[in-house]
Amino acid sequence: MHPTPPAPRIAIVVDWLQDYAGAERVLEQLLLTFPQAEVFAVVDFVPEASRGFLQGKPVHTTFIQRLPLARRLFRQYLPLMPLAVEQLDLSGFDIVISSSHAVAKGVLTGPDQLHVSYVHSPLRYAWDMQHEYLREAGMARGLKSLLTRWLLHRLRLWDVRTANGVDQFVANSAFIARRVRKAYRREAEVIYPPVDLSAFIPSAAARGQAYVTVSRMVPYKRVDLIVEAFAGMPDKQLIVIGDGPEMAKVRAKAGSNVQILGHLPFEAMREHVQRARAFVFAAQEDFGIAPVEAQACGTPVIAYGRGGAAETVRGLQQNPPTGVLFEEQTVEALREAVRQFEQHAARITPAACRQNAERFAIGVFRQRMAALVVSRWSGLQGEVKSGVTGFKPIQPKAL
C-alpha cells in the first residue's frame, strides 16, 4: 500500500486586520473551510473582544506592526507595504491563499507552491479610481499631490509585476473580474463573498409604506443623492439609518418626509429593513452586501445598476424580478426608478427576493472555494509528478 500523502500546509495572507468587517468575514469563512491554515497579515490590531473570527489562531505580522504610531496610522505606511509583504516567509507552505484589496497578493511563492488570490479589488486608489480619491482627499493639485501620484505610479508597477506570481485569481464579482482583467490582463473565477443570511430573515409583520436605506455616511455611498431624490417626492416616506462624516450634508437635503435615525442597534435596523416598502441603494460597490441582506429579508431593492448590485439584484427585465436598477447616479434617474417600482411592485415577491439572496449564502462560498483550491492543487501536483518544466499558461475561463 502507498502511504497516505500528508495534508497540504496552507497559509492565508490578508492585507491588514483592524476590526471585523467585510474582508475579515471572508477570512473567517476561509479559516472554517481550511482549519489547518495559518494566518499572515501586514499588521494586526483587532481588539481582543473582536478576535473570535480568528478562532484562536495567532497572526504572523510584518515589521510595520512595530513602527511608530502604526496602530493608529498604519495606512500611512502604504509605500512600505509592498516591501513588508514580500518579507513574509511562506516557503514552508504548499498552498497560499491571499485575500487581497491592497498588497496581500504580492507575497513570494515558488514553482511548487499554489497561490490562489481572492481579490476584493485591485487597489482602487492606485488604478481607475485614483483621480476620484485624490479629489476627495483634497490632493488634486500641489506638491503633495505630485508626490502621491508618483508613489501610486510605483505601486501600480509593483502590483502588475506581482500578478505574475498568482496561479489562480478569484474575484468577488464579475465587476471585479473585469477590473482584474483590465489591470493584470488575467482572467478570474467569480466566487461571491459569503453573506450570513441566517441573521436576515423575512418578518411576519406587515410591510410598511416607507422606503429604507442603511449606509455609512461617506461620499461614494451617495446617501445625499437618495435623500435629495425623496425630498422632491413629498408623498413618499424615506428612513435613513447610519452615521458618518457626510451626516451634516445629508441632513441639509432632507425634507419633512425623510427621517434620519443615525446609527441603530442591529435588531432595530433589521426590523426597518424587513418592513420596508423597498431598500434603496445608490453606491457603485465592488460587491455590496446590503442589497443581498435586504433581499434575504424578502425586501425589494432599488439600486444603481453598476458594480456588484447589477449582479445581486434581478431587475424588471428578469423573471422573477427582485427590484429595479437605475442606470445613472442622478436624482431624476432614482425618482424614475421609484416610479417604475411602484408601477411593477406586484411582480416582486418576498419569496423571489429570498431565493435570489440564497445564491450568496456562506455554504455556497465555502463549497466553491474548497472545490477550486482542491482542483488547482491536484493539477499542480500532477505537473510536479510528471516532471513538467517551464511555464504552462493558465487557461482563461469565460465569465
Side-chain angles (χ1 to χ4, degrees):
M1 292 180 61
H2 295 288
T4 303
R9 296 157 295 177
I10 300 177
I12 299 176
V13 185
V14 299
D15 295 299
W16 50 74
L17 294 171
Q18 186 183 26
D19 50 23
Y20 182 55
E24 287 75 21
R25 293 174 193 273
V26 170
L27 172 59
E28 178 180 32
Q29 296 306 319
L30 287 173
L31 288 173
L32 290 169
T33 307
F34 307 102
Q36 73 271 42
E38 295 188 32
V39 182
F40 295 78
V42 173
V43 296
D44 170 22
F45 295 120
V46 177
E48 199 61 40
S50 303
R51 299 185 71 83
F53 73 95
L54 291 167
Q55 298 153 51
K57 290 182 177 289
V59 178
H60 308 280
T61 58
T62 71
F63 65 83
I64 292 179
Q65 180 86 15
R66 300 180 294 278
L67 293 180
L69 303 177
R71 177 176 293 275
R72 186 164 56 91
L73 301 174
F74 67 86
R75 288 181 178 84
Q76 303 301 315
Y77 289 115
L78 179 64
L80 293 177
M81 288 186 185
L83 173 65
V85 81
E86 289 176 343
Q87 307 316 304
L88 292 173
D89 183 3
L90 305 178
S91 58
F93 296 91
D94 302 300
I95 299 172
V96 175
I97 303 171
S98 60
S99 175
S100 183
H101 57 79
V103 300
K105 82 167 201 344
V107 293
L108 303 179
T109 56
D112 293 344
Q113 292 176 291
L114 174 68
H115 181 184
V116 175
S117 185
Y118 188 88
V119 179
H120 304 272
S121 177
L123 260 170
R124 300 173 191 86
Y125 38 86
W127 288 99
D128 54 305
M129 299 186 73
Q130 171 188 290
H131 304 293
E132 180 179 340
Y133 273 90
L134 289 175
R135 282 195 299 271
E136 290 180 1
M139 293 193 297
R141 294 183 177 84
L143 183 61
K144 190 174 182 180
S145 174
L146 287 174
L147 177 59
T148 302
R149 290 171 191 269
W150 180 82
L151 289 172
L152 292 176
H153 168 71
R154 300 295 302 175
L155 190 55
R156 278 191 294 275
L157 297 177
W158 176 86
D159 200 27
V160 171
R161 180 187 66 75
T162 58
N164 292 327
V166 176
D167 299 296
Q168 173 71 62
F169 278 106
V170 183
N172 72 353
S173 66
F175 174 65
I176 292 304
R178 294 194 297 273
R179 196 175 261 169
V180 167
R181 186 190 302 126
K182 174 68 82 170
Y184 309 140
R185 292 300 172 190
R186 294 282 300 279
E187 299 297 327
E189 184 87 9
V190 175
I191 299 180
Y192 294 112
V195 182
D196 185 3
L197 302 180
S198 65
F200 293 87
I201 56 176
S203 171
R207 194 166 293 279
Q209 290 301 305
Y211 294 84
V212 171
T213 187
V214 180
S215 177
R216 288 182 296 120
M217 304 286 185
V218 292
Y220 84 94
K221 293 287 189 179
R222 299 311 311 270
V223 180
D224 61 322
L225 184 150
I226 298 173
V227 169
E228 184 178 350
F230 275 85
M233 298 185 290
D235 60 320
K236 307 183 195 312
Q237 301 297 310
L238 174 69
I239 295 173
V240 181
I241 301 170
D243 205 346
E246 292 271 289
M247 177 64 87
K249 181 179 180 181
V250 169
R251 287 190 183 280
K253 294 190 174 186
S256 59
N257 62 324
V258 177
Q259 285 184 274
I260 300 178
L261 303 183
H263 175 75
L264 292 181
F266 174 78
E267 291 77 11
M269 177 274 292
R270 180 179 59 185
E271 182 177 351
H272 280 292
V273 174
Q274 289 171 326
R275 299 194 59 196
R277 188 172 187 180
F279 184 87
V280 187
F281 188 78
Q284 177 174 303
E285 293 271 22
D286 302 334
F287 172 71
I289 193 173
V292 176
E293 292 172 340
Q295 290 172 91
C297 293
T299 301
V301 175
I302 300 171
Y304 178 50
R306 293 287 186 272
E311 302 168 52
T312 62
V313 179
R314 297 173 61 88
L316 291 176
Q317 74 281 8
Q318 296 179 270
N319 190 29
T322 64
V324 176
L325 299 172
F326 56 97
E327 296 302 314
E328 298 178 351
Q329 278 180 315
T330 64
V331 166
E332 187 49 48
L334 176 51
R335 288 175 182 166
E336 177 58 28
V338 173
R339 287 191 285 268
Q340 288 186 27
F341 168 74
E342 294 190 347
Q343 182 180 351
H344 297 277
R347 293 176 53 200
I348 304 172
T349 66
C353 293
R354 176 70 192 191
Q355 185 177 27
N356 186 50
E358 294 284 355
R359 296 191 291 132
F360 311 100
I362 286 173
V364 176
F365 170 84
R366 290 175 58 179
Q367 182 181 34
R368 292 200 62 198
M369 279 298 298
L372 181 141
V373 170
V374 168
S375 173
R376 290 309 307 262
W377 175 242
S378 297
L380 178 60
Q381 288 296 94
E383 292 180 12
V384 171
K385 290 176 181 177
S386 63
V388 172
T389 58
F391 177 72
K392 182 179 181 181
I394 297 170
Q395 296 301 313
K397 295 185 178 180
L399 295 178

